[in-house]
Amino acid sequence: MFTGIVEELGEVVAVEQLADASRFRLRGPLVTEGARHGDSIAVNGVCLTVVESGDGEFTADVMAETLKRSSLGALATGSRVNLERPMAVGGRLGGHIVQGHVDGTGTILARTPSEHWEIVKVGLPAALARYVVEKGSITVDGVSLTVVEVGDDWFTISLIPTTLALTTLGIKQPGDPVNLEVDVIAKYVERLLGPNAQENVK
């Protein structure tokens, strides 16, 4: 479980292409403190399992399903990534409930800078649009954000200077892909109130 509050701007050190997967080595001195085999670290919002760690770096295997559903397949050596360790039990929930299970990818459509913040417009798949609401929460590349406006196939977010400086959202350009995770509570509510709602409550 994560909160979408990015702890560190990391870097891809190496990418090894396997038959049906990829192996990533990533640098993140903060998130690897005390990291052990089997621990979880979110990379651009994708929950990955630590295979090896040491000297401020860690290795993770990314299966075909994850590569298909996320933008991790587009990463290369030198790519910057958002990193977050799982939420500690008893800690503050600074963002919102984030699982690290990416629902799909979107695309940066436009950036509109202002004096103290920047509005970013993001396109999203039609299948995810119904879960995005004005003033609701969404995770973009692992960053917990509040939705400003919503369209049929897009939404906007407002980025403060801290987010621009400390996450990859400060360097993403129109046309770049981003990982999206919608509010899991909305998905559960939809399931419970769907066509089989009466059967679910029996």
Side-chain angles (χ1 to χ4, degrees), residues 67-149:
L67 293 171
K68 182 178 76 173
R69 287 184 174 268
S70 75
S71 64
L72 293 190
L75 295 178
T77 301
S79 294
R80 305 307 302 272
V81 290
N82 297 323
L83 300 175
E84 181 191 356
R85 292 170 292 187
M87 179 180 65
V89 175
R92 293 183 176 89
L93 187 64
H96 71 283
I97 297 173
V98 177
Q99 295 181 299
H101 301 162
V102 170
D103 294 299
T105 58
T107 304
I108 302 292
L109 299 178
R111 304 186 70 111
T112 307
S114 64
E115 185 177 359
H116 298 295
W117 64 86
E118 189 165 343
I119 299 294
V120 178
K121 186 176 184 179
V122 183
L124 78 164
L128 298 182
R130 65 182 179 273
Y131 302 114
V132 182
V133 298
E134 185 176 319
K135 305 306 178 189
S137 296
I138 191 166
T139 308
V140 180
D141 265 2
V143 183
S144 173
L145 296 163
T146 300
V147 176
V148 177
E149 292 183 283

